[in-house]
Amino acid sequence: MQKKTLHGFHAVAARLKRFPDSVLEIYLDASRHDARARDLTQLAQAQGVKLLHVDDKRLNGLTGDARHQGVAALIDAGKSYVALEDVLDDLAEPAFLLVLDGITDPHNLGACLRVADAMGVHAVIAPKDKSVGLTATVSKVACGAAETVPYVMVTNLARTLRELKDREIWIAGTAADADVDLHHFTGGTGPIAWVLGNEGEGMRRLTREHCDVLVSIPMFGSVESLNASVATGIVLAETRRQRTLAG
């Protein structure tokens, strides 16, 4: 069993709704009697999950003194595995994917998941090596998106990109030295996987070589780069805009 702790109302409630069998126990601040606490209690009861009322000291111990909002949950992370094939086989529209290569900052990953959820991304893909994974901090920052957007960790990212190409999914990487900028890129209406690297080094060489096209984000100010979550929001929003206009 792969046990880990989640904290925050959004993260815990989203986990209860999407993967109720993975929630082992919920710990709620005994002093909270507000609407959010009542709603969470009712949801836990409806899903048959044990909820314990504890003091703040117990919650701090469970979460490492993180900003837990008065709630934490012990989960079996192994029961939330989602296979990429299952996601793609069930789609009723062109695939819309996000690939994160080398994101090691949990706050960045959490923000990427949040914007991916907002823009209707079907799955987020990341390599198992040199990636932060779904930590408690990631789930907290994602405000529930870590439990609603399928997060697929793969052993070999290059092989996964080749498999996406076999499914006729266009691989678009982001790079400052690209031949086309986002304002002139019109490939968002078809099956697409956006690839973003970390802020410092960008995509790894092999990942870059597997991209069908490289796209830059136009910059009009004095800064030379954007962090991963901001860049993610820009390219995903543009793709969603193109799809909306295309009907």
Side-chain angles (χ1 to χ4, degrees), residues 148-191:
T148 56
V149 179
Y151 184 71
V152 182
M153 298 194 75
V154 298
T155 303
N156 189 314
L157 183 57
R159 181 172 63 217
T160 299
L161 293 177
R162 289 195 296 269
E163 292 171 354
L164 294 180
K165 288 186 178 187
D166 290 341
R167 288 177 174 262
E168 299 184 345
I169 296 173
W170 195 247
I171 311 298
T174 54
D177 59 346
D179 293 329
V180 61
D181 68 56
L182 187 63
H183 292 170
H184 297 88
F185 177 68
T186 57
T189 57

Side-chain angles (χ1 to χ4, degrees), residues 76-178:
D76 178 1
K79 289 189 176 180
S80 58
Y81 173 77
V82 179
L84 181 59
E85 293 78 9
D86 294 338
V87 174
L88 297 178
D89 289 345
D90 290 339
L91 293 182
E93 61 179 335
F96 187 13
L97 307 173
L98 173 63
V99 180
L100 299 174
D101 185 25
I103 304 300
T104 57
D105 179 4
H107 292 87
N108 240 341
L109 176 57
C112 286
L113 289 170
R114 191 170 181 179
V115 74
D117 177 82
M119 294 298 106
V121 168
H122 299 128
V124 176
I125 304 166
K128 290 182 179 179
D129 64 312
K130 296 184 179 180
S131 295
V132 63
L134 293 182
T135 67
T137 299
V138 171
S139 295
K140 177 67 165 54
V141 174
C143 291
E147 280 63 53
T148 56
V149 179
Y151 184 71
V152 182
M153 298 194 75
V154 298
T155 303
N156 189 314
L157 183 57
R159 181 172 63 217
T160 299
L161 293 177
R162 289 195 296 269
E163 292 171 354
L164 294 180
K165 288 186 178 187
D166 290 341
R167 288 177 174 262
E168 299 184 345
I169 296 173
W170 195 247
I171 311 298
T174 54
D177 59 346

